[in-house]
Structure formats: structure tokens, C-alpha cells
Amino acid sequence: MLRMSARTDCSRNEAVIIRTSAILLALSAVAVFIMLLGHNPLSVYLSMIEGAFGSGYRITETIRKAIPLIVASLGISLAFRLKFWNIGAEGQIMMGAFGATFFALNFQNLPSVILLPLMGLASIICGGIWGAIPAYFRAKFRTNETIFTLMMNYIALKWLTYLQYGPWKDPGALGFPKIPGFTENAVLPAFFGLHIGWIIAVLLIVIMHIFVNHTKRGYEINVVGESENTGRYAGMNVKFIIIYTIFLSGGLCGLAGMIEASGVNKTLSVEITRGVGYTAIITSWLSSLRAPVIAIVCILFAAMIQGGTFIQMAFQIPQSAAQILQGMILFFVLGSEFFIKYKISIINDNKAEANQ
Amino acid sequence: MVNISKSFGEIKANDNITFSVNYGEIYALLGENGAGKSTLVNMLSGVYTPDSGEIYVHDKKLRFSSPGDSIGSGIGMIHQHFKLIEIMTAAENIIIGQKRSFIIHRKKLKKTINSISEKYGFKTDPDKYIYDMSVGEKQSVEILKVLYRGADILILDEPTAVLTPQETEKLFTILKKMKEQGCAVIIITHKLHEVMEISDRVTVLRRGEVAGTVNTSETNPKELTAMMVGKAVDLSIDRPAILKDEVMLEVKDLSLIDRDGIKKLNRVSFNVKAGEILGIAGVAGSGQKELCESIQGLERRKRGEILFRGEDIARLTPRAIFERGLRISFIPEDRLGMGLVPTMNIVDNVIMKDYYLQKSLFLDREPARERAEHIVKMLNVHTPGIYHPVNQLSGGNIQKVLLGREIDANPDFLVTAYPTRGLDIGSSHLIYDELNRQKMKGVGVIYVGEDLNVLLSLCDRIMVLFEGRVIGTVDASTATKEDIGFMMLGGKEC
């Protein structure tokens, strides 16, 4: 008979070994799937790496994909620290992009040193408000934030759809429903071959790490996240902490939206997020909410997406195969948490005696 | 049970334990918290499986792999926390889980239950709903349930923990009847006087091992304590006299209605002097928690006045009280859910109440580190280090960290709720001593407790709450346990 027992002695090394083997298991499970498609899994995996890191251009592309993921994951990790299950990053990204676009379209004559910060600020406020609304209701009336933030995603999506097909439709696009492109001064400048979003991401990682671990505000978030009662007991204003933390969380997601709109797409469209808001939930969870780890995990995820695009061309494998790989990795890693918390032992059982 | 061993991870909960119980005898398992009592009986009742060793019932070797096996061989377990369904009657609860027939013969069932009740002296009405019952009645239903299933070996886990003295008396009468009828009764307890009063034989467990088995008639509480702790312990609690006659805290007409509209406190009025320990007794849920949280400023939905040195603090938040320079320390009942952050280390927990006074945006942990070291040294906290998460410490050490932080804040007033719950004798006495030390410094103390013996010997006065009302306040040096027990039930006959 198998028996499980709780373990408290799992060292960090053991945990790393367990998680790594989970990823290896996920890779081998997907290998079976790739073989069924009639390809050699090893060469597919190798060319995924090749596709993600094989040349300067590919590396840039991978990092380009990682930037919004990192910024949004940082935002989500802040909410998760508070045990506020914010799955509304998708909508917060869209609203952030909307706020930035509003300024990009209406203040085209401003110099970019003023316009870009304005757009950034607008995106943080819009995304932040989009997060703070469910946070307010959660703090005041204990509503379920998971459902609430999810529903807010659909409102944001439909709002963008309305704008794209209605008031913001580009008159010069011959009836094609698209929002006009940004003027040059509303586009993030490049630095070392990539828009400066990457510098923002690096700065945010450092700031987040310091904020969470070494500031009073960060400390409060950790306390309230562990137990609201303890927070109240220590004299903290728990409701206020919840609302402003989720405002920051949504604000960061909004900023990710601005970076995407301004740095990559140079316009706004309903496809602005490309699922980043949902992928970021996975990445921040896998990084156990730690900012430096988020950077690594996000780059690996971006590499997987980039590599997935590449194998699509090289092997005619649908890109969904890469998504299956993502799903598998998540499944195995979350499953491996069980082995970190519990020990399985086999015991000899002669149960028959009991029923004599 | 022969040579029973059981480990959880690295910890040996039971190490080579052997004991036997005869029919027609009341047998006590005595030991401090964490001595392995519960583990042992959980193996007997089939919840756990032993790693090694054998269990014999009626000279037959058995191996239980589920509670069902255990019940089948006549072992009935009565847990400390009742497992009853509130919205069903006693009779319905008794037959739950019985597979005998699909249709319930209510009449026959009632007859069977009544005959069992008569045999052992229960006064339980089978048609009464559980939610209408007192704690004592619920316990009777639990016992009836196992008897109905044909158990002749009964195990009671801390049966008197939730009972008033009167109810305990009744329970003991029933247990004695069972013994006369030839049942084997095992009670698990850490209360010495109960062991002396009711058991025939007693086995003392210490750190998972048998420290000794003696006949109750041939021993005394002192010897048993020495066996439990491993050394002789002074069991008396000091009660230094009150130094000053200065009222520190005065509560007037405090009422509180909770979120669901239920009245939790009803016009409560009392005062506490500087250097006095006021005990608060009452059945669980009589408003103790609400009272403590009201004083500390956590409860906001209250009416009435709380005067602290003449200043009304009833409308202030905890932080506002703190900012006025009034130091009220509070040791809540729920240590890990309210007093401390379980996953944080000692330093981060120590800094919790005054971190916000720091001027800088950044958190300076240095002063807290010194204080944490001081607390660890002062109260002799067993921990691998001050950066160890508190939830990995034992219950006693967790409580020491909490107490240490609250006392280290140099309080004017100290509110403690069940500060020794779950602690062993040694740690408990350390905490009583610390409370007395605070008392000598002129700190006013509220001590919410459940062990009447402790309340009577530690406190100066004892206030009894019942359903949110103050039933009365007695002088602890003259009152008896029976007086208080009577008041805990609202002064009504139970």
C-alpha cells in the first residue's frame, strides 16, 4: 500500500530537483505526442531552442515577447501575494493599452518626451482602476474576486471591439475595422535594437524585488496576504491595503499593455494581449511570485512561444503543439508541488488479518 | 497494544509502547501535549496504521486499516470535537453510517436507545435536535452512538475539556456505570485530578514513550507530574497581592451586535485595576473573543464606553489607541491566524506592531533582530534561529514568541485569551510567572481562561460571562469551582 505523509524537511535543493524532473517528465510526455505526429522529438526540441536563441534576431524576438509577460507577471505576483486571485490581467492590459492609445491619438503634436510618459501614466491609471474596482468590492463586500476580475476581462474586450469598429475606426483604412497607427512620437524608441520596454522591465524587476522585501508597504502586503486578521490585529488598514495593492497590480498590467501597443504594434487592436494576461498567471505562479525568478521563467516561456513559431515553419507542426507543451509543463510542475509537500512511502500491508 | 511505534517524518510520535486494558476498568492515558496520546488512540481506532507492533483485542491479533475495522471489533472512539450533524435528532445521528437496513424503524430504534440510556444512566431524549443541546448532551449522544454500535471498549479523548464541572460530574457517573457493566473505558487527559478521581490504572506517556504504569490508588498527583515532565515540578501558582487601588480600565454598558445581527455582548460593565489580574470564565462562545477584540479596538460595531485611565477609547482603531501612547497588548486566542504570521520568521513577526513608526520608506529590521534575540533568550524559545518561520516551531514556542513580543512592548494593559491552551505544564507555568511579573509592574491584566483551577489560583477576581452577559464577578480567593461552574451555565440548574 502507498502511504503519504507530510514533510517539512524539503530543502531548496530537493525542491529544485523535483521541479526540474517535473519539467523533464513534461518534455517526455510531449515527446510521445510529437512522435505520434511522425517527427523526431529530439530534433523538434533542438530546433525550438534554435528558433528561440539561434541568432541575434531570434533572441531579440524572444525578449520582445518576454517583455509584456514579465511586466504583467510582476503585476499579477503582487496581487497573488495578497492572495487576491487576479485573473483579470487580460482586461487590465487592454484598458492600459486603451489609456495609452487615447493620448497617442488625441495629442499627436506633443513631443515624445512628454507624450510617452503621459501614455505610460494613463495606462497605469486605467489598468489600475480596472483592478481596483473588483478590489473595492472584495474589500467592502467580500465578493469573489476571481469571477469579478474574469468578467471585467470581457467588458474590456468588448469596449476595445466597440472602439475598433466604431469611434476609433481608421477613416483611411477603406472600411477595414482598424484603429489608426501611432505617430512616430508615440512609439517607444529603440535601444540596442529593441524598444526600451526591456529597460522598463529590468527596472521593474529590481524595484519589485526591493519593494516586496525591503519596504514597509511590501511588508504590509506580505502580512495581509498571509492573514487579513493578523493585519487588522497589527493595526493595518486592511481594506486600503487591498485596494491600492490591486491598483498597483492592475497598473503594472496596464503598463504592459502600453508597452505592447506603443513598442510592438504601434496601434491598438482587440488582439493586443495575445493571451499574455493568462500566460502571466502561469509564469508568476511558477516563479513562486519572486521577481528575479519571474524574469527567467518569462524568458523561457517566451522562448517556447518563439520556438513554437519556428517549428511550425520547419516541421509543419501546428503552433498549438507548443501550447500543448506549455500546458503539460504547467500540469507537471503543479503536480510536483504535491511531492514537495508530501512524502510517499510504500508500506507492507497484511490487511487480510483484520477481516478474519 | 504491544510494542507500538509510529513516526511522522523524523518525529517518533510513539516509540515501543505497550499497554493493556481490562474489561470493567477505567484506564487513563496521561501525558503532556505532544506526548503521543492522540497518536496512540488513533491507531487503536483505525485512523492511523502503526509502523510496527501489534494490537490484540480479546486475545486476537488485529490489524486495523480503517476506522470501520476498529468499530467492528468493539472499539468506540469519542473525539474531542464532536462529529454530529446539527440539524438531525439524537436518534438520527446515532444510526448514521449503519448499514443494517434501508428503512429506519423509528419505534424500534427509540426503544433500543432508551434501553441503552437506562442501562448506563443517560438522560437523552432521542428526538431532540442536536442544535438544541448543550455540550454535555452532545457528548452523551456521541457516547450513545458508539454504544449502539455495540462497542465495549470506549476511548474518550479529553472528554472534559469542554464541560463545566457539573457536566463533568455527570459524565464520570456514567463512566463508572459503564465500568460496572463490564466495559473497558480509556480516557485521555492531561488533567491530574481527573485521573485521580476516576481511573483505576494510569499509564503516563512522555515524548512518545511509556514513562510508567501505576495503579491510581497507589500514586499521587506529584508523582504523576514528575513522571509526565521527567522531573519534579512545583505545581502551585503564585498570586501576589494587588499593589495599588487604581482603576485602569473601565468598561461601561458595552454591547455588540455581529455581522449576522446576533447579540454577542449585552451591556457588559466591569473594571480592572492596575496590577490586577481579572479572570474571565465562561463556556466557549459566551462573548470572550468579542470582549477582547473590543478592548483592543478591533471590533468596531460596538456601543458603550471603554475608559482607559479615564479616556474613552471605544471608537478608536488599534493604531489610534497606540498613537495616544496607550499600550494595550493583546494575545489573541488564534495565535497563528491573528497574533502571528505563520510563514514569516521571528524577526518579521516581532516587527509587526511598530514597523510603521519607522520614518523611512524602507524597512529597517535591525532593531527587530535585536528584540527577537532578546525574546528568544528571555523566554527560552527553542528555535533553530531567529530567522526560522514560526509555524515550524512547537505550540509552546509559538506562544512564547507572541507573548514575548507583547510583553516586550512594555504594555500598560495586557489582554490574554487562553494563553496556555495546548501548552505543557512547564511552559504554562512560565507564562503564569510572566503574567505575575507584569502584574507586579502595575500592568492591568485580563486573563480569559478555561481551566477553572488555574483561574482560581492565578486571578484576583473572576468575571463569568454567559451569552454575552456578565453573570457575576467573584473573588477568586474565596470562590469555588462549583460556584463558577454554576454561573457559567447562566446560573440556571443544568
Side-chain angles (χ1 to χ4, degrees):
Chain A
M1 189 175 76
L2 287 175
R3 201 186 40 190
M4 52 184 240
S5 50
R7 59 196 284 173
T8 51
D9 52 344
C10 195
S11 71
R12 194 168 267 194
N13 279 340
E14 278 181 296
V16 168
I17 292 171
I18 290 174
R19 291 209 175 96
T20 316
S21 36
I23 292 174
L24 290 177
L25 273 174
L27 288 175
S28 23
V30 178
V32 175
F33 172 71
I34 293 174
M35 276 195 282
L36 285 178
L37 291 179
H39 297 281
N40 178 358
L42 199 64
S43 57
V44 169
Y45 284 148
L46 283 177
S47 57
M48 274 183 87
I49 298 171
E50 169 82 21
F53 300 109
S55 69
Y57 169 77
R58 286 172 187 163
I59 292 174
T60 316
E61 277 308 299
T62 301
I63 293 176
R64 192 196 301 281
K65 288 198 165 63
I67 292 167
L69 204 50
I70 291 174
V71 178
S73 304
L74 289 174
I76 288 177
S77 73
L78 207 50
F80 280 11
R81 228 164 238 289
L82 212 51
K83 301 221 163 66
F84 182 100
W85 307 117
N86 176 17
I87 53 171
E90 194 81 356
Q92 289 146 15
I93 293 172
M94 288 189 233
M95 292 313 283
F98 153 75
T101 308
F102 177 82
F103 280 92
L105 296 183
N106 293 307
F107 297 88
Q108 294 180 347
N109 301 325
L110 287 174
S112 60
V113 273
I114 299 175
L115 183 56
L116 284 175
L118 258 181
M119 287 165 64
L121 201 64
S123 68
I124 291 173
I125 292 172
C126 287
I129 290 174
W130 216 243
I133 295 169
Y136 173 82
F137 283 92
R138 148 85 187 262
K140 276 273 188 248
F141 308 109
R142 293 167 188 249
T143 53
N144 180 323
E145 74 277 9
T146 316
I147 303 289
F148 207 138
T149 48
L150 181 67
M151 291 304 144
M152 295 290 278
N153 286 348
Y154 295 111
I155 299 175
L157 178 66
K158 293 306 166 194
W159 171 238
L160 287 202
T161 315
Y162 163 72
L163 290 175
Q164 187 175 340
Y165 285 79
W168 282 6
K169 191 159 121 179
D170 186 358
L174 305 167
F176 186 72
K178 76 181 263 298
I179 292 169
F182 290 2
T183 46
E184 212 39 53
N185 52 350
V187 173
L188 285 177
F191 192 70
F192 280 115
L194 183 58
H195 67 83
I196 57 163
W198 71 270
I199 299 177
I200 299 176
V202 170
L203 281 177
L204 284 175
I205 289 165
V206 176
I207 293 171
M208 183 62 83
H209 185 70
I210 294 171
F211 176 72
V212 167
N213 294 306
H214 300 285
T215 66
K216 295 195 289 188
R217 292 294 181 204
Y219 174 75
E220 283 177 344
I221 293 172
N222 289 326
V223 170
V224 174
E226 264 312 314
S227 144
E228 284 184 26
N229 262 336
T230 312
R232 279 199 311 132
Y233 164 83
M236 299 171 187
N237 187 343
V238 171
K239 285 175 184 162
F240 176 69
I241 291 173
I242 292 179
I243 294 171
Y244 86 70
T245 306
I246 305 307
F247 178 87
L248 286 183
S249 166
L252 280 174
C253 292
L255 186 62
M258 179 265 180
I259 292 172
E260 272 304 89
S262 164
V264 181
N265 294 358
K266 301 181 175 63
T267 183
L268 176 67
S269 75
V270 288
E271 286 96 24
I272 183 83
T273 66
R274 284 173 312 163
V276 162
Y278 295 120
T279 314
I281 296 173
I282 303 174
T283 47
S284 61
W285 190 252
L286 285 183
S287 341
S288 30
L289 314 182
R290 291 206 299 265
V293 189
I294 282 178
I296 299 167
V297 171
C298 286
I299 289 173
L300 288 179
F301 258 74
M304 205 146 59
I305 297 165
Q306 185 64 23
T309 328
F310 184 77
I311 56 166
Q312 186 179 15
M313 290 184 301
F315 293 86
Q316 306 298 314
I317 297 175
Q319 203 200 349
S320 349
Q323 280 168 6
I324 288 180
L325 183 55
Q326 276 179 35
M328 280 288 188
I329 289 182
L330 184 72
F331 178 82
F332 277 87
V333 170
L334 291 186
S336 76
E337 298 297 317
F338 174 81
F339 294 95
I340 290 171
K341 292 206 179 85
Y342 297 97
K343 197 155 57 185
I344 303 293
S345 44
I346 298 166
I347 60 158
N348 208 359
D349 188 50
N350 41 355
K351 189 184 164 192
E353 287 175 60
N355 301 331
Q356 279 167 6
Chain B
M1 293 182 99
V2 180
N3 293 333
I4 294 289
S5 296
K6 169 83 185 174
S7 308
F8 295 103
E10 300 289 300
I11 301 143
K12 273 212 156 140
N14 284 162
D15 195 6
N16 271 329
I17 290 183
T18 302
F19 73 86
S20 65
V21 187
N22 305 324
Y23 283 106
E25 128 175 296
I26 296 181
Y27 177 82
L29 273 176
L30 182 70
E32 299 201 337
N33 287 290
K37 295 169 297 192
S38 301
T39 311
L40 191 61
V41 292
N42 273 327
M43 285 191 277
L44 206 49
S45 63
V47 177
Y48 296 147
T49 324
D51 295 342
S52 66
E54 285 136 20
I55 300 171
Y56 295 88
V57 178
H58 304 272
D59 295 326
K60 217 163 85 186
K61 183 179 167 187
L62 296 178
R63 189 166 185 116
F64 304 133
S65 48
S66 77
D69 294 346
S70 170
I71 293 168
S73 53
I75 297 176
M77 172 98 187
I78 290 115
H79 294 272
Q80 196 175 347
H81 302 284
F82 304 138
K83 298 174 186 331
L84 296 170
I85 296 169
E86 292 272 321
I87 54 159
M88 291 189 176
T89 62
E92 283 166 340
N93 266 289
I94 287 168
I95 54 153
I96 280 174
Q98 308 274 3
K99 285 185 201 146
R100 289 189 192 136
S101 87
F102 185 69
I103 298 153
I104 305 166
H105 300 286
R106 284 185 188 274
K107 260 198 185 144
K108 214 174 113 197
L109 173 71
K110 229 161 110 179
K111 233 172 93 188
T112 322
I113 294 173
N114 282 334
S115 75
I116 299 174
S117 294
E118 219 167 286
K119 194 169 156 193
Y120 296 107
F122 289 103
K123 290 191 191 74
T124 307
D125 174 8
D127 292 329
K128 197 168 176 183
Y129 283 93
I130 301 294
Y131 58 76
D132 280 334
M133 291 186 173
S134 70
V135 179
E137 286 178 290
K138 286 180 191 172
Q139 192 176 45
S140 300
V141 176
E142 282 280 3
I143 300 174
L144 275 171
K145 190 161 86 181
V146 298
L147 289 173
Y148 181 84
R149 290 176 181 181
D152 50 9
I153 304 171
L154 270 98
I155 308 171
L156 297 105
D157 189 0
E158 303 271 3
T160 60
V162 286
L163 301 184
T164 61
Q166 282 82 355
E167 286 173 327
T168 306
E169 207 54 48
K170 280 188 186 163
L171 173 70
F172 284 179
T173 319
I174 289 169
L175 293 184
K176 280 175 190 153
K177 272 232 173 86
M178 287 180 177
K179 172 182 148 184
E180 282 161 22
Q181 303 278 347
C183 293
V185 179
I186 304 175
I187 70 165
I188 301 160
T189 181
H190 60 255
K191 293 183 186 162
L192 285 169
H193 60 98
E194 287 175 1
V195 173
M196 298 307 297
E197 187 182 335
I198 191 168
S199 70
D200 300 306
R201 276 192 313 139
V202 51
T203 287
V204 182
L205 295 182
R206 184 172 75 231
R207 298 196 178 168
E209 290 173 41
V210 175
T213 302
V214 286
N215 290 326
T216 313
S217 53
E218 295 158 14
T219 185
N220 58 50
K222 253 207 161 114
E223 191 190 352
L224 289 176
T225 317
M227 277 162 80
M228 254 163 92
V229 184
K231 58 175 190 258
V233 175
D234 184 8
L235 279 183
S236 63
I237 303 172
D238 285 341
R239 178 166 44 207
I242 304 174
L243 294 173
K244 289 179 275 183
D245 193 27
E246 174 205 336
V247 172
M248 186 171 246
L249 183 90
E250 189 168 12
V251 173
K252 282 183 190 164
D253 279 340
L254 184 69
S255 294
L256 189 136
I257 292 168
D258 76 356
R259 206 178 261 271
D260 304 323
I262 296 163
K263 214 162 196 173
K264 291 289 187 183
L265 291 176
N266 193 355
R267 301 178 73 84
V268 171
S269 297
F270 63 94
N271 62 56
V272 184
K273 297 192 184 93
E276 178 188 44
I277 300 185
L278 175 74
I280 294 182
V283 184
S286 298
Q288 298 98 321
K289 179 168 169 267
E290 289 77 11
L291 181 62
C292 294
E293 295 189 0
S294 295
I295 294 172
Q296 216 248 350
L298 278 171
E299 245 334 321
R300 309 304 306 282
R301 287 179 290 269
K302 61 196 171 197
R303 283 163 198 284
E305 281 177 67
I306 301 173
L307 300 172
F308 190 84
R309 288 202 176 121
E311 197 174 346
D312 189 4
I313 57 166
R315 313 270 164 270
L316 302 180
T317 61
R319 203 159 274 186
I321 295 173
F322 193 86
E323 273 162 5
R324 298 210 174 179
L326 309 174
R327 296 285 177 272
I328 300 180
S329 280
F330 177 34
I331 296 172
E333 176 182 353
D334 188 0
R335 290 161 209 167
L336 288 179
M338 185 174 237
L340 299 166
V341 181
T343 53
M344 285 188 175
N345 60 41
I346 299 177
V347 175
D348 277 6
N349 269 299
V350 164
I351 205 170
M352 202 167 85
K353 281 226 169 142
D354 51 11
Y355 73 94
Y356 80 99
L357 293 174
Q358 295 185 7
K359 289 272 180 302
S360 148
L361 184 68
F362 296 98
L363 190 64
D364 181 9
R365 288 185 168 86
E366 191 53 30
R369 189 185 62 79
E370 279 164 25
R371 269 179 29 227
E373 271 170 4
H374 172 68
I375 290 167
V376 166
K377 213 185 273 169
M378 173 176 76
L379 293 175
N380 193 17
V381 182
H382 291 286
T383 169
I386 54 170
Y387 291 107
H388 204 70
V390 290
N391 62 354
Q392 288 180 18
L393 304 178
S394 73
N397 286 310
I398 289 172
Q399 186 69 332
K400 283 180 193 171
V401 171
L402 179 54
L403 183 79
R405 183 187 71 205
E406 294 303 302
I407 285 175
D408 200 50
N410 275 323
D412 303 308
F413 199 82
L414 187 59
V415 180
T416 61
Y418 311 107
T420 59
R421 180 183 277 175
L423 302 197
D424 58 40
I425 295 187
S427 310
S428 298
H429 276 77
L430 200 112
I431 288 184
Y432 302 142
D433 291 346
E434 196 51 53
L435 291 179
N436 273 327
R437 209 164 299 145
Q438 294 302 312
K439 174 180 171 176
M440 303 289 273
K441 277 166 66 182
V443 176
V445 181
I446 286 182
Y447 178 94
V448 180
E450 50 198 346
D451 188 334
L452 293 182
N453 292 316
V454 172
L455 278 165
L456 281 168
S457 46
L458 176 73
C459 305
D460 298 297
R461 287 181 300 151
I462 298 171
M463 178 170 89
V464 184
L465 287 179
F466 175 74
E467 291 180 348
R469 281 179 294 127
V470 177
I471 293 297
T473 305
V474 295
D475 186 338
S477 54
T478 55
T480 65
K481 264 203 293 183
E482 283 65 33
D483 296 341
I484 297 175
F486 186 65
M487 290 164 78
M488 278 166 73
L489 296 173
K492 287 175 280 190
E493 195 61 57
C494 45

